[in-house]
């Protein structure tokens, strides 16, 4: 498979006009956490900064820093980690904010309502400005697939000059979720409207098992979608296919691990964070073998 950067130049890098913050509680740890988003110069990328350490530790968003963790995306650098970053990254990537320093005072990001909505609201309030630098773009030229017949994700050549995503979810063991699909071109407006408010979900028995392990004990049914056989418990759906939309949101967030815009059509079947990251790593490996990363303005 071959990939290369696109010519002509598609868009300029963007950052925040001013700072923003979001307060909340980590789903896993139950600890209060504050996230602060700060403008950053061109070429910075997205960098998490653990300000609770004696000396602040910078953790660049890069697939090379991803560490294996269950049900979430975790990054590790210099012996310091940040967890459950996918909803923060989805908000930044979905709004096309390329350069940002994300200050955090805990390892885990706030769960909020299980979506990216609070982050999007805060980022929009801060404002977004264009910078004088060309955004790197990786263009999918040939179909590339990772996974098995049970779960997979595939990158195909683009339909147009934007990323598009098609996700199919299948939960045979939970009729209330069942099979769901979502397909869209991922622009900032579409992200705000179609994906940002879609929430994390899990099954009732999964939630009970996590609680039995001492995890998520501060989380209620109002903080995310917990499904029994009849549907989400005490928390109405925002979309009939909200679960598929949330998986697409996670995918947008995990694509930020590439550090560039991915221009292609992504088709996924039951994929999660591990496969999403594997796809990013595969695309970047192919890019490294090409002449890529030339910018043109």
């Amino acid at each position: 498979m071959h990939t290369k950067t696109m010519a002509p130049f598609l868009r300029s890098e963007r950052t925040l006009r001013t700072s923003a913050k979001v307060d909340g509680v980590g789903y896993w740890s139950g600890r209060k956490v504050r996230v602060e988003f700060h403008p950053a110069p061109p070429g910075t990328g997205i960098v998490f900064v653990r300000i609770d350490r004696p000396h602040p530790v910078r953790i660049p968003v890069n697939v090379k820093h991803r560490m294996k963790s269950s049900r979430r995306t975790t990054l590790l650098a210099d012996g310091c980690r940040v967890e459950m970053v996918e909803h923060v990254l989805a908000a930044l990537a979905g709004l096309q904010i390329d350069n940002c320093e994300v200050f955090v005072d805990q390892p885990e990001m706030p769960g909020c309502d299980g979506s990216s909505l609070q982050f999007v609201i805060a980022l929009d309030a801060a404002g977004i400005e264009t910078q004088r630098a060309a955004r790197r773009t990786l263009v999918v030229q040939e179909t590339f697939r990772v996974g098995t017949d049970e779960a997979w994700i595939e990158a195909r050549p683009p339909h147009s000059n934007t990323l598009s995503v098609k996700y199919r979810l299948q939960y045979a063991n939970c009729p209330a979720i069942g099979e769901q699909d979502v397909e869209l071109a991922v622009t900032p407006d579409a992200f705000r409207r179609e994906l940002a408010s879609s929430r994390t979900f899990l099954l009732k028995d999964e939630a009970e098992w996590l609680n039995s392990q001492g995890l998520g004990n501060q989380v209620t049914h109002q903080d995310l979608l917990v499904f029994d056989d009849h549907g989400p418990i005490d928390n109405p759906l925002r979309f009939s296919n909200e679960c598929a939309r949330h998986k697409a949101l996670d995918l947008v967030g995990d694509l930020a691990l590439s550090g560039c815009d991915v221009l292609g059509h992504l088709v996924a079947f039951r994929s999660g964070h591990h496969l999403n990251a594997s796809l990013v790593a595969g695309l970047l490996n192919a890019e490294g073998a090409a002449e890529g990363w030339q910018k043109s303005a």
Side-chain angles (χ1 to χ4, degrees):
M1 186 194 72
H2 302 285
T3 58
K4 66 177 182 180
T5 51
M6 170 165 275
F9 153 75
L10 286 180
R11 69 177 182 91
S12 297
E13 291 186 343
R14 310 204 308 169
T15 191
L16 292 174
R17 185 170 295 116
T18 187
S19 298
K21 67 179 180 180
V22 174
D23 294 308
V25 175
Y27 277 168
W28 299 86
S29 66
R31 295 175 182 171
K32 293 181 179 179
V33 56
R34 168 169 289 187
V35 177
E36 297 180 357
F37 300 91
H38 297 282
T44 301
I46 308 300
V47 182
F48 286 91
V49 185
R50 284 281 304 277
I51 60 173
D52 58 315
R53 304 302 292 264
H55 301 285
V57 178
R58 297 175 65 84
I59 307 173
V61 172
N62 187 301
V63 71
K64 293 179 181 179
H65 293 305
R66 181 184 179 274
M67 63 176 290
K68 186 176 180 180
S69 57
S70 176
R71 298 176 177 268
R72 60 199 185 277
T73 295
T74 299
L75 302 176
L76 175 70
D78 294 329
C80 193
R81 72 186 189 279
V82 282
E83 301 182 25
M84 201 171 166
V85 298
E86 58 270 21
H87 302 163
V88 170
L89 294 181
L92 291 164
L95 300 185
Q96 293 183 344
I97 298 170
D98 312 300
N99 299 306
C100 184
E101 292 184 326
V102 186
F103 288 12
V104 294
D105 60 2
Q106 291 288 340
E108 185 183 359
M109 302 304 103
C112 301
D113 69 349
S115 77
S116 290
L117 183 59
Q118 290 304 117
F119 304 121
V120 167
I121 291 171
L123 294 169
D124 275 338
I128 302 169
E129 64 179 30
T130 301
Q131 299 174 294
R132 297 186 60 150
R135 176 63 170 167
R136 298 194 309 174
T137 304
L138 187 155
V139 184
V140 179
Q141 293 188 310
E142 297 177 9
T143 298
F144 177 62
R145 176 170 171 155
V146 295
T148 66
D149 289 344
E150 297 298 318
W152 51 267
I153 182 169
E154 193 169 272
R156 301 175 183 175
H159 294 327
S160 60
N161 280 352
T162 190
L163 169 72
S164 58
V165 170
K166 181 177 182 179
Y167 192 99
R168 168 162 287 187
L169 184 69
Q170 189 179 77
Y171 261 67
N173 58 337
C174 181
I177 298 176
E179 293 191 10
Q180 299 181 15
D181 296 270
V182 64
E183 184 171 6
L184 77 160
V186 184
T187 65
D189 284 345
F191 182 83
R192 290 182 181 97
R193 184 177 61 250
E194 305 293 342
L195 297 183
S197 65
S198 59
R199 294 162 293 175
T200 299
F201 66 96
L202 73 167
L203 304 183
K204 181 182 177 182
D205 59 350
E206 293 174 325
E208 291 173 346
W209 183 85
L210 290 170
N211 288 161
S212 74
Q213 303 302 302
L215 299 170
N217 288 319
Q218 303 296 318
V219 182
T220 72
H221 293 155
Q222 282 70 51
D223 295 317
L224 74 172
L225 298 175
V226 179
F227 279 81
D228 62 16
D229 289 341
H230 306 289
I233 302 170
D234 298 329
N235 203 352
L237 289 170
R238 293 172 177 168
F239 307 95
S240 61
N241 61 344
E242 186 169 354
C243 296
R245 290 176 188 246
H246 184 78
K247 287 291 191 177
L249 180 151
D250 281 346
L251 175 54
V252 171
D254 289 335
L255 282 179
L257 299 175
S258 67
C260 63
D261 284 354
V262 175
L263 182 56
H265 180 55
L266 271 56
V267 182
F269 174 67
R270 300 181 67 219
S271 74
H273 297 300
H274 173 72
L275 284 180
N276 297 344
S278 295
L279 182 80
V280 168
L283 291 173
L284 292 178
N285 284 340
E287 176 61 33
E291 296 181 4
W293 306 128
Q294 299 293 321
K295 298 179 184 178
S296 58

